[in-house]
Amino acid sequence: MTIPQSLLMSLVLGLLSTLSASGANLLQVASFSTVLTEIAQQVGGDHVIVAGLVRPGQDPHEYQPTPEDLRQAASAKLILLSGKHLEHYLDKVQQATGGKAASLAVGDALASLRMKVDPDEKAKVSADRNGMIEDPHWWNSVVNVEKATVIVRDELSKVDPANRADYDRNARAYLAKLEELDQWAKRKVAELPRDKRKLVTSHDAFQYLAKDYGFKVYAIEGVSTETEPSDRHIADLIDEIRKEQVKAIFLENTLNPKVSVEIIKETGAKIGGTLYADGLGEGDGSTYDGMVRHNIATIVDSLK
Ligand SMILES: [Zn+2]
């Protein structure tokens, strides 16, 4: 049987388009942060293929790279990291890539909030000599995500200068949306009187948001979800919630609500809803814009 030439031609063209769709000519980026995955996709547009190794809804404090994740990181031209000591498995990444890929710890270029570790807390975090640690949750500030977008734009332009104009244009469009998001959040928070801006959360993930929008955070667990709150800390928190007459406390999409439920029983506060603390998730939180709108609306509407 002979294959008609036109059919052969269309098979060849189909194969070629499959090859280019599989990323033969695209800049390969590997990201260990769900928020950076979105930024790289938005700014990189058609020129990049981004492997999001920490997946939406995954707890980045407990995440460990699989052999397949490390293989993907090793084949990337650019590796994006959250920074601020969140990636406790960096040695594995370095070993897998042999230091060949450019890796960028985006958060390290952003100003840090520092906090004291509770000495009772079995903290699995790297504290300095004075027991202070850097808060890794920079993405809960929209302004930080704007800065991160500029950092990613500049790095993509450096690695792939031929497409600089497109990266500039894509970044401008994404930054405009982030600016609109920040303005919306400010208006929404303004509905809540200052003395009601008390945020009780499962772990200490919202200090950057609190600083931007004037909240005080009372966290059950420390900055890592791997820490355990002491009985003393929980007792103090219960006193504080009663004294401050906090109306609602919030759960998180990746955490077990056991201790929160106990505190709710003791204080009579209600469950305010579930927040996305550690990056993108499913549902509302599948985009950064949706995640922030969900968090801010849930907080403001429950505390009113
Ligand atoms: Zn966290």
Side-chain angles (χ1 to χ4, degrees):
M1 191 187 95
T2 56
I3 300 171
Q5 203 179 358
S6 61
L7 178 62
L8 196 65
M9 200 58 203
S10 75
L11 282 173
V12 169
L13 286 175
L15 186 65
L16 283 175
S17 79
T18 310
L19 275 176
S20 100
S22 72
N25 296 313
L26 301 178
L27 176 69
Q28 309 244 352
V29 179
S31 163
F32 286 94
S33 147
T34 54
V35 174
L36 288 172
T37 300
E38 177 175 307
I39 294 174
Q41 283 167 339
Q42 291 290 325
V43 177
D46 297 339
H47 303 302
V48 303
I49 181 156
V50 186
L53 303 179
V54 175
R55 278 113 186 131
Q58 214 170 9
D59 181 337
H61 302 285
E62 299 201 351
Y63 164 85
Q64 285 290 342
T66 64
E68 172 58 19
D69 291 347
L70 291 172
R71 199 193 58 71
Q72 295 214 50
S75 67
K77 272 266 169 51
L78 173 64
I79 296 173
L80 297 174
L81 304 161
S82 262
K84 298 197 191 297
H85 307 289
L86 185 65
E87 288 93 0
H88 45 86
Y89 45 80
L90 265 190
D91 49 334
K92 285 186 193 169
V93 177
Q94 266 148 9
Q95 210 173 21
T97 62
K100 271 181 292 182
S103 88
L104 181 67
V106 176
D108 290 352
L110 305 170
S112 276
L113 294 176
R114 306 182 79 83
M115 47 185 56
K116 198 148 183 82
V117 187
D118 183 343
D120 295 338
E121 207 176 72
K122 285 172 245 139
K124 232 184 149 183
V125 285
S126 38
D128 69 10
R129 257 176 308 166
N130 306 316
M132 301 291 282
I133 51 162
E134 276 180 283
D135 183 348
H137 301 90
W138 56 265
W139 57 84
N140 284 326
S141 158
V142 178
V143 174
N144 274 343
V145 171
E146 291 177 2
K147 290 177 184 162
T149 300
V150 171
I151 293 167
V152 170
R153 178 200 68 192
D154 290 350
E155 190 66 17
L156 286 175
S157 299
K158 208 165 95 188
V159 178
D160 178 25
N163 291 311
R164 173 187 291 268
D166 287 351
Y167 298 141
D168 283 351
R169 195 192 56 231
N170 293 344
R172 258 200 309 278
Y174 188 59
L175 285 167
K177 282 189 201 155
L178 289 171
E179 191 46 40
E180 205 181 294
L181 175 64
D182 186 40
Q183 294 306 323
W184 171 85
K186 281 182 181 145
R187 286 196 304 274
K188 184 74 190 167
V189 171
E191 294 174 13
L192 194 63
R194 287 222 161 240
D195 65 341
K196 287 191 170 178
R197 294 185 199 169
K198 290 160 190 158
L199 185 54
V200 183
T201 60
S202 303
H203 85 293
D204 205 350
F206 290 99
Q207 296 290 353
Y208 291 92
L209 178 150
K211 185 166 181 269
D212 283 359
Y213 304 127
F215 283 85
K216 181 160 195 260
V217 176
Y218 303 86
I220 297 168
E221 293 183 34
V223 291
S224 171
T225 56
E226 293 185 306
T227 57
E228 294 225 337
S230 63
D231 292 345
R232 154 115 232 152
H233 175 68
I234 292 173
D236 287 349
L237 205 54
I238 288 171
D239 285 348
E240 199 85 33
I241 292 167
R242 285 188 183 135
K243 198 180 87 201
E244 300 284 335
Q245 296 178 309
V246 179
K247 247 175 96 176
I249 77 176
F250 299 91
L251 310 180
E252 287 172 27
N253 61 325
T254 60
L255 289 184
N256 184 328
K258 207 181 112 217
V259 183
S260 308
V261 168
E262 210 178 291
I263 294 173
I264 286 162
K265 261 196 275 174
E266 286 290 323
T267 59
K270 62 172 181 172
I271 296 177
T274 302
L275 305 179
Y276 299 95
D278 281 333
L280 306 188
E282 308 293 336
D284 286 351
S286 58
T287 64
Y288 183 71
D289 185 88
M291 177 189 113
V292 172
R293 284 177 198 266
H294 171 94
N295 285 346
I296 295 284
T298 301
I299 292 166
V300 170
D301 293 339
S302 308
L303 293 177
K304 266 181 192 167

